DNA sequence: TTGTAGGCGTTATCAA
DNA sequence: TTGATAACGCCTACAA
């Protein structure tokens, strides 16, 4: 069933059918009704491939995440999809993993599909401290389609970023812990990504301003996994009175370690996670966590995406918002 | 840059370029090399819309989940995407929510995109006990594209289901608890979906076979939310010595209630969740849970999807696998 | 207000 | 081994 069939059945030309389909005001009411009735009766819908061929768009956005099983990414996608659907876009979702080669491959895959724009979720796409993950392939991709980065920053033409002041969030939390009297704060991080790096900078800055030397032993790079962290802390015999983790999972690992060791939380030990994910409410005591405002970041991103796709040229390339600290029982 | 540009630059016809592109063996080695060089140099790739227009396929699968922020769905999508990409398919992901009208709307949206097949994740798509969610729209959609259901069963032409023996899993667990001496088992469920219903049947069946009457007070329909459940149990003053929940979230709610009340878990109370999600390892004590084998269900589904898309006609319409019980500290 | 015809970029058939 | 051409289904500028 195509536009010719409808035209024939209605006794009009395909141009008229097309006009009816697009609500053109240059069609008489009677023909419009006649054609609409036939369209409805046959449940006819235009072929998106043919439409796409002409317009070079299928109203589809490509979204890339490293891992959709990660709470943060899932929440982000959930928010993005809802907004995009409301604007008439569909979402192709790719899961690239964290490996540089795979990330590039998945981005190329999306580009081949002629999506209208690309959204990269997570600071893993914004390069890393140690330069093992460069961002050239993203700059290149931006030559073809506008790219929007959630929770990471890359400067470049046709690249739009939305991120949170992670450095400041950690700085503030660290300062508050110091003010409270904590002196040996353990910093747990799972990556050397843009965001992780900035969190660390905020942490170290706060210590320095309080004339405390960051202790290298108390800055630990590990996996974001509950048991990996608790096992690791069990092995090393570290002395610390507070924990800041760059993801809730690691904070829970520290909590497990503390409870097993008989430490009182938060009396003997403050523990603060990051992302304010749903697992914060699962543990006992429940986890205090820095909320990085997924939904807000997503809505700011989509606002600008729509503007860019509408051809506006004064769309800001970088927007930053503040995190919240959500107090629960571990601090 | 299109196939005409390449043809012109190579001094051949577009037909020859197309042949080179598809590795036809009816092209001389020399022309093949000449054309390939020009294709590479210009980084030319065929327009997928034009290809789709001819073949009526863009090698894309539509996947519908009620909520991607749900651990089970996220794991499922993650597994499905990885497999599909390996077969050269992309995934459009839609999040429909649990509302019947929205589910139907999202399914229609996918159908309009001319995807090659549809995968529905979650038994919410398989109708409900109380018939408020009928499945007619799915049967209808199956008239257009093959439909694959993960974790739910609908019988119909062009519909392929993969599910777990949930009834048996709950039956076995309930029987084991009874054998251990538990007499007042609380059953927590969050929906009246196909799967939830079968879990309940397994639960009641096991009680009956042990000559225990299921107590209506101990079968609770609630939200799958930690605090909703713990608050609810705090309000009602129920007497129970074991808990089986149809999702880990509710089991954690029961655990929170128990710990607050000073009950010893598992000595005074066994608690068993469902889905074996990552939150099982977050709580203390860690949650025993029924593992419904997401990855395996997904790989069985994709195997058959590929076969169906290859035109095979003897593909089984329904496959069932067994769950595992993963013992942790709450039982 | 309506219709005709050309273009979008492929693939495939048939002829050379 | 290669090329010309129709077909896929829609949109739209231009003509009537």
């Amino acid at each position: 069933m195509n536009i010719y069939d409808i035209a024939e059945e209605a006794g009009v030309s395909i141009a008229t059918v097309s006009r009816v389909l697009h609500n053109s005001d240059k069609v008489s009411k009677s023909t419009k009704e006649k054609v609409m009735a036939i369209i409805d009766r046959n449940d006819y819908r235009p072929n998106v491939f043919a439409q796409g061929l002409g317009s070079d768009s299928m109203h589809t956005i490509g979204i890339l995440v490293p891992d959709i099983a990660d709470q943060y990414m899932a929440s982000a996608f959930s928010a993005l999809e809802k907004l995009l659907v409301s604007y008439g876009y569909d979402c192709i979702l790719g899961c690239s993993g964290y490996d540089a080669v795979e990330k590039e491959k998945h981005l190329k895959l999306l580009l081949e599909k002629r999506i209208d724009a690309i959204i990269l979720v997570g600071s893993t796409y914004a390069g890393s401290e140690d330069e093992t993950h460069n961002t050239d392939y993203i700059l290149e991709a931006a030559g073809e389609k506008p790219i929007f980065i959630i929770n990471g920053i890359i400067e470049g033409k046709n690249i739009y970023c939305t991120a949170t002041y992670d450095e400041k969030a950690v700085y503030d939390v660290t300062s508050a812990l110091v003010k409270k009297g904590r002196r040996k704060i353990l910093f747990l991080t799972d990556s050397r990504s843009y965001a992780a790096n900035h969190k660390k900078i905020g942490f170290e800055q706060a210590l320095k301003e309080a004339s405390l030397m960051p202790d290298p032993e108390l800055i630990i790079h590990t996996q974001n996994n509950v048991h990996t962290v608790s096992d690791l802390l069990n092995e090393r015999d570290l002395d610390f009175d507070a924990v800041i983790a760059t993801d809730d999972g690691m904070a829970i690992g520290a909590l497990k370690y503390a409870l097993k060791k008989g430490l009182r939380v938060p009396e003997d030990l403050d523990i603060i996670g990051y992302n304010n994910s749903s697992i914060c409410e699962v543990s006992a005591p429940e986890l205090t966590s820095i909320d990085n405002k997924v939904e807000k970041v997503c809505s700011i991103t989509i606002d600008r995406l729509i503007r860019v796709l509408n051809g506006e040229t004064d769309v800001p390339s970088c927007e930053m918002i503040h995190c919240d600290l959500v107090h629960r029982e571990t601090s």
Side-chain angles (χ1 to χ4, degrees), chain A:
Chain A
M1 178 66 47
N2 60 29
I3 202 170
Y4 288 94
D5 299 324
I6 301 294
E8 188 177 349
E9 197 169 330
V12 298
S13 74
I14 60 163
T16 300
V17 176
S18 182
R19 289 193 192 96
V20 170
L21 242 19
H22 295 87
N23 250 310
S24 164
D25 46 1
K26 292 160 191 265
V27 191
S28 77
K29 201 169 178 182
S30 61
T31 32
K32 185 179 280 187
E33 279 166 5
K34 181 175 61 181
V35 172
M36 265 318 255
I38 292 170
I39 287 176
D40 287 342
R41 172 146 42 81
N42 290 287
D43 195 27
Y44 162 76
R45 275 159 309 181
N47 182 310
V48 283
F49 300 145
Q51 291 183 144
L53 186 53
S55 64
D56 199 31
S57 159
M58 258 183 61
H59 286 277
T60 303
I61 306 296
I63 299 182
L64 208 53
V65 304
D67 175 16
I68 193 65
D70 178 289
Q71 276 255 336
Y72 178 81
M73 322 278 166
S75 307
F77 180 87
S78 187
L80 293 169
E81 193 260 1
K82 190 171 222 161
L83 291 163
L84 287 169
V85 165
S86 78
Y87 285 107
Y89 287 92
D90 284 298
C91 303
I92 291 189
L93 174 57
C95 303
S96 70
Y98 292 90
D99 177 67
V101 177
E102 287 297 313
K103 286 192 284 190
E104 184 167 353
K105 207 177 85 185
H106 271 79
L107 188 61
K108 286 245 163 72
L109 238 45
L110 281 182
L111 245 22
E112 285 187 18
K113 283 281 166 160
R114 308 234 171 194
I115 35 67
D116 296 304
I118 289 180
I119 302 176
L120 305 174
V121 182
S123 69
T124 181
Y125 296 107
S128 63
E129 188 187 1
D130 54 11
E131 299 286 324
T132 50
H133 288 49
N134 82 46
T135 58
D136 294 349
Y137 68 102
I138 294 177
L139 294 170
E140 200 182 317
E144 297 191 38
K145 301 286 171 181
I147 295 195
F148 296 80
I149 303 181
I150 298 254
N151 199 25
I153 294 180
I154 298 179
E155 289 186 29
K157 196 158 177 286
N158 219 16
I159 299 182
Y160 301 86
C161 307
T162 317
T164 44
Y165 290 111
D166 293 322
E167 189 175 318
K168 176 155 194 315
V170 176
Y171 172 90
D172 288 346
V173 163
T174 309
S175 299
L177 289 172
V178 169
K179 193 174 253 174
K180 181 181 167 182
R182 300 306 192 188
R183 286 293 172 271
K184 292 161 291 185
I185 307 176
L186 174 64
F187 185 80
L188 293 169
T189 180
D190 64 334
S191 85
R192 298 180 187 276
S193 71
Y194 175 90
N197 192 30
H198 275 257
K199 290 172 191 169
K200 197 171 77 177
I201 290 171
F203 172 70
E204 293 174 333
Q205 184 68 23
L207 291 187
K208 279 178 198 145
E209 287 189 12
S211 307
L212 294 171
M213 274 300 291
D215 176 354
E217 268 211 324
L218 293 183
I219 295 183
I220 299 182
H221 286 266
T222 177
Q223 272 179 52
N224 179 20
N225 176 283
V226 172
H227 284 148
T228 307
V229 170
S230 62
D231 291 350
L232 182 147
L233 294 179
N234 269 318
E235 270 173 37
R236 311 190 189 178
D237 198 31
L238 300 168
D239 181 25
F240 54 90
D241 53 17
V243 178
I244 297 175
T246 62
D247 191 288
D248 293 326
M250 289 176 288
I252 296 290
L255 176 60
K256 270 197 187 294
Y257 158 82
L259 295 179
K260 195 171 171 188
K261 224 183 161 187
L263 297 171
R264 291 170 310 156
V265 178
E267 293 81 355
D268 303 333
L269 184 67
D270 287 300
I271 301 180
I272 294 169
Y274 217 107
N275 284 6
N276 193 35
S277 59
S278 66
I279 63 171
C280 295
E281 301 195 329
V282 170
S283 68
E286 299 190 359
L287 187 65
T288 293
S289 182
I290 294 171
D291 182 354
N292 52 3
K293 315 293 255 179
V294 205
E295 296 208 5
K296 190 166 178 194
V297 168
C298 290
S299 82
I300 290 175
T301 299
I302 298 303
D303 281 351
R304 289 183 300 152
L305 180 147
I306 297 299
R307 289 175 58 195
V308 169
L309 294 185
N310 281 342
E312 294 184 34
T313 53
D314 59 339
V315 180
S317 66
C318 181
E319 294 215 0
M320 303 284 295
I321 65 170
H322 289 278
C323 297
D324 282 350
L325 180 66
V326 179
H327 258 292
R328 291 202 185 80
E329 300 164 353
T330 60
S331 73

